[in-house]
Amino acid sequence: MGEILNKETKIYVAGHRGLVGSAIWKNLQARGFNHLIGRTHRELDLLDPVAVRQFFDEEQPEAVVLAAAHVGGIMANLCYRADFIYQNLQIQQNVIGESWRHHVKKLLFLGSTCIYPRMAPQPMSEEVLLTSPLEYTNEPYAIAKIAGLKLCESLSIQYGCNYIAVMPTNLYGPNDNFHLENSHVLPAMIRKIYLGKCLYTHDWDSIRRDLKRRPVSTPSGEVADEQSSEDLICRVLAHYGITSDTVTLWGTGSPLREFLWSEEMADACVHILLHVDFKDTYSHTASSAGNAMQEIRNCHINIGTGEEHSIGETADMIVREIGYQGVIQWDKSKPDGTPRKLTDVTKLHQLGWHHRVSLQEGIHRLYQWYLTEEGFR
C-alpha cells in the first residue's frame, strides 16, 4: 500500500464545486489537508489548454484529483453526444497531460461504471472492460472515460507515474443536480415526487420556494419561477409529468441500479489517494510467455456498494420518505437504459474500504438536505 501524502501537500481538486469534487474536498479537509486548490469554471476553463497549462505553471500542485466532467442523464447523453465526448476528452487531455508535464506525484481520475458493456456479466468486475459493445445512450461519454483511464494507466506503465483511475457507481448526495430532465435518475425522482406532493396538497409556498431556486422551463420557452401564475406553473410541471394527482417517471421501473452516497464515494477516493499506489491495482504475475513483458491492464478500481435496487423500488422508497399520496405512473415509451449495472467491488474491499450508508438512509439524508437552506442556496 502507498504512503499517506503529507498534510502540507498541495492538492488540486478539479471540479471542487460539483457533487463529486465538493465531497472529496470536504473529506480531505476533515482529514487535515488544508493546502487545497480549487477553481470555478469562470476562473479556469478546463477546455482551454493554454489556461490549464498556465494554472499548473503558477500553482505547481503536487497531487491532483480530476473530478471535473461534463455529465448528465439519459436524455442529455442522447441529445448532446458530441458535447459529451469532446468536452470530457478535452478536460482529461488538459488536466492529466499537464499533471504529467509538471511531475505531479499522485493523481486520481474519476470515471463512471458506464464504461462497461451494456450486457456485461453481473456483477461487473474491472476485467470486463472492452469485452463487448457499450450502452448506446451514453457511448460517447463512456468512450471518453475509457480514454481517461487508459491515459492514466499508460502514463503509469511507461513513465512510472502514480496515476489511478476509479470508477464510481451511480452517485447521489449534497450538491446534486436536480434538473427535471438532465439530472441523474435518483435526484430527478426526488424533486419530481416532492413537487408532486406539493401540488397534491396545494402547498404553493413550497412550490414557489422551489422554483425560486431552480426555475423550470419547457422546450417551447415557457418558464416557471416563483413569480409565475399557478396556471403557468401547472402547465410547465405537467410537461415533466407532474400533475395535481400523478407523477410520471421514465421507463418501466424494472432496471436494476446500484447507488452510492457521494460522501462515502469521497471517503473511498481519499482512501485510495492516500493509501494505494498504482502498483497495488493489478496482479504481479509472471508472464506466461517467459521473458515477454507482462500485460498490465484493467488497473482501475470500481467504487460502489455491491448492492442493487430496481428503479421502481427506489421510487417507492422516495414516495415513503416524502409522504406522497398521489399516483406514480411509468412512461414506457421512454428509454430504460442499461438493464442492470452492479459493480464487483472485490478489489476495493481488498484495498481496505467498505460502504456503510444504505440506500434508504441515503434517500432520507438527501431529501432532508434538499429541504434545508443549503439545498436552496
Side-chain angles (χ1 to χ4, degrees):
M1 294 290 184
E3 295 183 359
I4 292 181
L5 298 176
N6 188 287
K7 295 293 177 64
E8 301 303 311
T9 300
K10 182 184 279 191
I11 304 174
Y12 167 46
V13 181
H16 74 295
R17 292 282 186 87
L19 169 68
V20 174
S22 63
I24 291 175
W25 182 285
K26 181 179 176 182
N27 190 282
L28 284 166
Q29 283 187 324
R31 294 175 185 245
F33 289 83
N34 295 312
H35 289 195
L36 306 179
I37 313 166
R39 293 289 187 275
T40 64
H41 176 71
R42 180 175 296 180
E43 294 168 333
L44 175 61
D45 181 2
L46 296 179
L47 297 175
D48 183 345
V50 175
V52 174
R53 176 167 293 192
Q54 182 178 0
F55 166 78
F56 273 82
D57 286 343
E58 294 172 355
E59 293 294 342
Q60 297 290 328
E62 301 168 87
V64 169
V65 176
L66 179 45
H70 182 63
V71 299
I74 291 177
M75 184 56 71
N77 274 273
L78 272 172
C79 295
Y80 308 109
R81 298 175 73 82
D83 293 347
F84 275 88
I85 189 166
Y86 169 74
Q87 292 190 30
N88 285 297
L89 284 173
Q90 190 78 348
I91 289 169
Q92 295 161 193
Q93 176 76 5
N94 291 337
V95 175
I96 299 173
E98 291 305 326
S99 295
W100 170 63
R101 279 186 279 271
H102 287 79
H103 308 291
V104 166
K105 60 184 180 182
K106 196 73 177 282
L107 181 142
L108 192 74
F109 168 67
L110 284 96
S112 165
T113 53
C114 73
I115 63 168
Y116 294 119
R118 170 180 169 82
M119 301 306 293
Q122 303 289 320
M124 303 177 295
S125 70
E126 289 83 357
E127 284 68 31
V128 301
L129 180 66
L130 298 176
T131 57
S132 61
L134 299 164
E135 162 65 30
Y136 177 77
T137 53
N138 56 26
E139 183 181 68
Y141 178 76
I143 288 173
K145 288 300 179 180
I146 291 169
L149 78 85
K150 286 299 182 183
L151 180 57
C152 290
E153 187 176 276
S154 299
L155 286 169
S156 296
I157 292 171
Q158 182 175 347
Y159 293 105
C161 298
N162 205 355
Y163 296 175
I164 299 174
V166 295
M167 300 297 127
T169 188
N170 301 291
L171 302 174
Y172 67 105
N175 299 315
D176 219 329
N177 173 15
F178 289 88
H179 190 282
L180 291 177
E181 192 167 79
N182 293 336
S183 64
H184 289 124
V185 61
L186 197 150
M189 289 197 299
I190 284 181
R191 191 181 183 201
K192 274 191 169 186
I193 293 170
Y194 169 69
L195 288 172
K197 175 190 176 183
C198 293
L199 278 179
Y200 188 84
T201 59
H202 306 289
D203 185 356
W204 285 100
D205 287 341
S206 294
I207 292 172
R208 293 184 185 281
R209 181 167 177 258
D210 184 280
L211 295 176
K212 180 179 180 181
R213 173 63 183 90
R214 301 177 177 91
V216 177
S217 61
T218 67
S220 64
E222 289 188 303
V223 179
D225 58 25
E226 79 279 11
Q227 301 296 330
S228 301
S229 68
E230 292 184 7
D231 285 345
L232 175 59
I233 291 172
C234 287
R235 190 162 62 248
V236 170
L237 292 184
H239 173 79
Y240 293 99
I242 307 166
T243 70
S244 61
D245 57 0
T246 65
V247 170
T248 302
L249 303 176
W250 278 25
T252 64
S254 62
L256 295 168
R257 290 293 181 269
E258 175 184 18
F259 296 100
L260 179 65
W261 181 244
S262 62
E263 292 176 337
E264 286 213 297
M265 173 280 309
D267 193 66
C269 286
V270 174
H271 173 83
I272 292 167
L273 180 70
L274 301 183
H275 300 288
V276 178
D277 286 331
F278 179 76
K279 63 180 175 60
D280 303 318
T281 65
Y282 61 93
S283 173
H284 296 261
T285 57
S287 172
S288 59
N291 295 325
M293 182 181 295
Q294 178 190 358
E295 290 188 358
I296 300 172
R297 57 164 59 95
N298 301 325
C299 301
H300 56 287
I301 304 167
N302 289 337
I303 296 182
T305 65
E307 301 171 359
E308 60 187 348
H309 301 269
S310 73
I311 298 299
E313 181 185 358
T314 304
D316 289 342
M317 291 184 192
I318 295 171
V319 165
R320 290 195 297 271
E321 174 64 33
I322 293 176
Y324 176 58
Q325 298 296 314
V327 176
I328 296 293
Q329 295 181 338
W330 295 93
D331 183 354
K332 297 179 181 179
S333 70
K334 294 295 194 296
D336 269 334
T338 305
R340 192 180 180 202
K341 281 178 60 179
L342 178 64
T343 58
D344 182 336
V345 287
T346 301
K347 182 189 287 190
L348 179 65
H349 289 173
Q350 291 172 343
L351 293 169
W353 191 89
H354 298 252
H355 85 286
R356 297 181 180 85
V357 178
S358 69
L359 178 57
Q360 186 69 66
E361 172 63 21
I363 288 171
H364 171 73
R365 291 187 186 186
L366 184 56
Y367 180 56
Q368 293 304 311
W369 179 87
Y370 188 82
L371 296 178
T372 64
E373 289 303 320
E374 183 180 14
F376 278 90
R377 68 185 178 184

